[in-house]
Amino acid sequence: MTPLTGVDGLVDDAAERVAACMSDEALRSAAAELLGKRSLLAGAHRSLGTLEPDDRRAAGRQLHEARSRIEHLVADRHQELARRARQRMLHDDRLDLTEVRPGPSRGRLHVVQRTRDELEDVFVGMGFVVEEGPEVETDWYNFEALNIPPAHPARGMWDTFYLDLGDPETILLRTHTSPVQIRVMEAQPPPIYAVMPGRCYRRDTPDARHIPIFHQIEGLVVDRHVTFAHLAGTIETFTTAYFGPNIHSRLRPAYFPFTEPSAEFEVTCTICQGSGCRTCSQTGWIELGGCGMVDPAVLRAVGLDADTWSGFAFGFGIDRCAQMRHQIPDMRILLENDLRYLRQI
Ligand code: DAH
């Protein structure tokens, strides 16, 4: 016989109440309500005195059991809440070392600098040394020693920035890296196998294929018995090493005052691999630079015996190489330093 009715219901209600507690604080006040002096359980306990002794004992046991079950429920819930809190804390504190977070990005070399480094590597691999010369030059190095006397019509090939220094039009920003040829020949006797990279300046209006500040790499070989075949072979070897085996070079007759004969050299268009496209005006070829056999007048300008020594030279745009290699539609991008673009190349 059940001396007290509704005790099971009391425990069931308590279980529901406890399970709904989401914090220690809520659990504490629920426990006070369920087990404290003003709880239904305590009320039932107080009314035990009205029962017969036998019933009282049975009901007492029943209430005791109910209390201990509710106490267990509270204790279990307390543990569960503590477990969850700890889990939350571990989750918040975790350090995921594999996680990639967008943060301040690392810097990298500008594409022109990377291209220059790569070109130097190719030529060093072919046995050349790397030399440098000044960006501010005299008329002598930039023009005269290169067989371009004052008022020579070929000066029109280079629109020049002059500096307001010394006599008018004597100090300038170099328009090409060719003056470094002269400095290298002055500084050391042949044999010479050197490349000379650097920044150049021309009074050009910027457009998709021209920028007024650009970079060239010059090449110079002076030795005995150097022939045009050596020049052509060097350019083809460089082209394949830098652009890959599918890209070739060809030479077209041209004029430069410091080489004779002179040629322009072109490489297979990297955009269409030679089949013809808009970039190469459907020719399949892109002009990269100039080259030729060093003119005897240039050798004489630095005091070399033109009967003993011969040589070849070449010069081409580093920015143009970068443009070809990375398919950069507009060269002005290289000067604008827009990180949104530079990060992509
Ligand atoms: N300096 C020439 C230019 O800027 C390019 C050039 C042509 C360099 C022929 C050379 C060469 O060394 O032999 O247009």
Side-chain angles (χ1 to χ4, degrees), residues 158 175-176 178 181 202 216 218-219 256 258-259 290-292 313-315:
W158 298 276
T175 58
H176 50 179
S178 300
Q181 286 186 28
R202 278 186 209 171
Q216 285 189 336
E218 192 82 12
F256 295 100
F258 31 91
T259 40
C291 61
F314 56 84

